[in-house]
Amino acid sequence: MINTKLELPCGEILKNRIVKSAMSENLAKSDHAPWSGFNKLYSQWVDAGLVITGNVMVDSSALGEPNNIVIEKGRENLEALSSWAKAGTQKNCHLWVQLNHPGKQSPKYLSKVPVAPSAIGYKSHLKNMFNTPRELSELEIWDIIGRFAYAAEMVKRSGFTGVQIHGAHGYLISQFLSPRHNQRSDKWGKDRSLFVIEIYKAMRKSVGEHFPIGIKLNSADFQKDGFSTEESMDVILKLSELGVDLIEVSGGSYEAPVMMKGKKESTLKREAYFLDYAKELKKHTQTPIVLTGGFRTQKGMIEALENHACDLIGLARSMAIDPDFAHKLLNDMNVDSPVKPLSTGFKTLDKIFPLEIIWYTDQLHRMAKGKRPNPNANVFKTCLSSLKSIGIQVLKPVRNSSE
Ligand SMILES: Cc1cc2nc3c(=O)[nH]c(=O)nc-3n(C[C@H](O)[C@H](O)[C@H](O)COP(=O)(O)O)c2cc1C
């Protein structure tokens, strides 16, 4: 079952059912362009049917992390992108670029005044991480839509085989979809799905009918007054009707990071965090579905496919710690994921740090240097060295999104 091919609505074929989900590399240099380390990293995952890059930003004045790749007018870097695409599409592996705009989820040290659908700041502990945003004007909204379309065109031109819209995890598209974060009284607030629909349409226009476009979307935000499962399903059905090729189901945001650990009650019952939602979704759409988050056992993956909960298995952390994981699954080596809970050994630190992101990013950086991942890497030490490099970033001048 995991070995079976899958045909996408646009006619492209994925060679098997394993998807390496997006993991931000945070590895670009100050020019925000890819370099040979990206080629090394991505050539290790080509056994998967589909590999999705870490989020690539469409505006250099709106970054989620200091070392994101950016594709925008004047910053195309086509040669470097082509070399990355070539390395990651060996063995007929599909390699898609995930395009993103962080909106207000751009850290304080990167955005003095980030942008968002409405000028609503975070109320929780996130207040310390992100500045209060200003509201986007209509003109700026169209500019961002154009940026997604332009970046998609460059992605296609450089030889990647598809593109994914990052519509999940609390970034700008998620913010537009959420009644908690989008309180506009104009058409972008009256129909909160309009922004993502216009992005999809503009991208489709720029890449044509036969180039795959996927989307990663939350099954819900898991927040009071947030984007609900009903709304999520509604948006997916609209995009399916418009011809989107692949839907990746996830959930949560920085406010409720369930994409990394699921909701307690559901995860106790099953390993994949959003399995019930995906299963329900499959009853309503023919568009192929990738389910991501929590898959750890080959048995769990095969069951999810056999029970028609999803068409593809999305894997992130497992692939960062064992780049051969897809190969082992495909060759029926009855392997389970080596992913385990992480701890610094200090409860308070564990709460403050985004441990999972820091530790797994470090594994990606090892792979980019041609080293094997180190499953025994000390969590505390990894966090300390990451803090040091963030400290250096904080001292650099901050970009203003309105500049
Ligand atoms: C280091 C790291 C970086 C991530 N970056 C992204 C990203 O750029 N875009 C995205 O959609 N998800 C990102 N994620 C979330 C994963 O794609 C995935 O949804 C999540 O890790 C759950 O899957 P898993 O249980 O297989 O790890 C990231 C996860 C990790 C660990």
Side-chain angles (χ1 to χ4, degrees):
M1 189 89 202
I2 292 180
N3 274 296
T4 319
K5 289 180 186 165
L6 182 86
E7 184 173 353
L8 299 173
C10 65
E12 285 289 330
I13 310 260
L14 303 180
K15 65 180 177 181
N16 61 53
R17 304 301 176 101
I18 305 282
V19 177
K20 195 291 288 175
S21 294
M23 280 183 284
S24 189
E25 308 86 12
N26 198 17
L27 187 63
K29 302 202 168 132
S30 56
D31 57 0
H32 300 293
W35 52 282
S36 58
F38 283 79
N39 307 354
K40 250 185 214 143
L41 175 60
Y42 279 80
S43 59
Q44 297 178 57
W45 285 318
V46 294
D47 284 320
L50 167 62
V51 170
I52 298 170
T53 69
N55 60 174
V56 164
M57 299 296 162
V58 297
D59 184 347
S60 56
S61 70
L63 300 176
E65 292 155 303
N67 303 106
N68 288 141
I69 301 282
V70 177
I71 305 177
E72 62 184 350
K73 279 196 179 130
R75 200 189 289 276
E76 288 83 357
N77 297 307
L78 287 182
E79 214 174 294
L81 284 174
S82 302
S83 159
W84 179 14
K86 195 171 165 204
T89 51
Q90 296 169 73
K91 291 200 194 169
N92 222 9
C93 171
H94 261 263
L95 178 59
W96 297 8
V97 172
Q98 185 186 60
L99 294 178
N100 192 19
H101 187 300
K104 63 184 168 187
Q105 263 183 193
S106 176
K108 277 188 172 176
Y109 64 91
L110 291 173
S111 294
K112 234 191 286 176
V113 189
V115 294
S118 303
I120 302 169
Y122 290 105
K123 291 182 183 65
S124 55
H125 64 288
L126 295 180
K127 245 192 331 206
N128 302 323
M129 281 169 72
F130 305 111
N131 284 319
T132 303
R134 66 174 180 79
E135 183 178 296
L136 282 163
S137 71
E138 166 99 15
L139 213 64
E140 288 174 314
I141 292 176
W142 284 111
D143 173 68
I144 293 173
I145 293 168
R147 283 173 177 273
F148 273 90
Y150 183 74
E153 194 185 329
M154 295 306 113
V155 163
K156 182 179 176 190
R157 197 181 288 177
S158 19
F160 290 91
T161 54
V163 70
Q164 185 188 56
I165 303 168
H166 195 350
H169 304 171
Y171 294 105
L172 186 63
I173 292 173
S174 247
Q175 290 159 32
F176 266 91
L177 289 169
S178 158
R180 184 180 163 93
H181 297 294
N182 179 357
Q183 294 179 8
R184 300 176 71 98
S185 53
D186 61 5
K187 62 178 181 183
W188 305 100
K190 283 191 186 120
D191 175 3
R192 285 179 274 109
S193 66
L194 186 62
F195 184 58
V196 68
I197 299 283
E198 291 295 347
I199 287 177
Y200 172 76
K201 284 186 184 165
M203 280 172 55
R204 180 56 82 202
K205 210 168 160 191
S206 71
V207 298
E209 270 177 40
H210 303 294
F211 192 71
I213 303 181
I215 182 157
K216 187 166 184 173
L217 209 77
N218 278 355
S219 51
D221 287 352
F222 301 97
Q223 282 289 295
K224 193 169 165 275
D225 310 323
F227 183 57
S228 66
T229 46
E230 294 75 24
E231 287 178 310
S232 164
M233 196 142 333
D234 185 54
V235 175
I236 288 175
L237 296 187
K238 280 184 190 164
L239 287 165
S240 298
E241 240 170 68
L242 289 171
V244 77
D245 289 289
L246 196 61
I247 293 151
E248 183 176 1
V249 171
S250 186
S253 68
Y254 278 68
E255 289 183 298
V258 293
M259 64 284 211
M260 305 299 283
K261 48 183 185 241
K263 291 289 277 181
K264 242 187 200 152
E265 48 302 359
S266 57
T267 321
L268 286 177
K269 280 191 264 163
R270 57 193 67 80
E271 61 181 86
Y273 310 146
F274 313 108
L275 190 102
D276 288 346
Y277 173 85
K279 206 168 179 182
E280 184 57 31
L281 183 60
K282 265 211 71 68
K283 292 183 196 154
H284 301 276
T285 178
Q286 300 286 316
T287 309
I289 292 169
V290 188
L291 177 58
T292 299
F295 275 118
R296 301 291 177 257
T297 65
Q298 190 182 44
K299 183 170 167 274
M301 296 174 208
I302 292 172
E303 265 174 26
L305 292 171
E306 282 179 354
N307 293 336
H308 305 288
C310 57
D311 303 283
L312 296 137
I313 304 293
L315 300 168
R317 284 165 286 184
S318 307
M319 301 286 262
I321 200 171
D322 181 4
D324 306 325
F325 196 49
H327 173 81
K328 292 174 185 165
L329 288 168
L330 290 160
N331 288 285
D332 207 17
M333 291 162 76
N334 199 14
V335 61
D336 287 344
S337 164
V339 168
K340 290 191 191 80
L342 298 177
S343 168
T344 57
F346 302 96
K347 266 192 184 157
T348 330
L349 283 185
D350 290 358
K351 272 191 198 151
I352 306 170
F353 281 122
L355 287 191
E356 304 275 329
I357 298 291
I358 293 174
W359 194 81
Y360 284 98
T361 303
D362 201 57
Q363 303 292 350
L364 301 182
H365 290 187
R366 286 180 64 86
M367 287 164 70
K369 285 185 202 147
K371 295 183 191 169
R372 293 290 298 177
N374 176 10
N376 301 318
N378 184 290
V379 181
F380 184 66
K381 273 193 197 156
T382 313
C383 286
L384 266 191
S385 73
S386 158
L387 250 191
K388 255 194 235 161
S389 71
I390 290 174
I392 293 166
Q393 293 296 332
V394 172
L395 296 175
K396 286 186 182 166
V398 172
R399 288 159 194 272
N400 189 338
S401 60
S402 56
E403 281 165 7

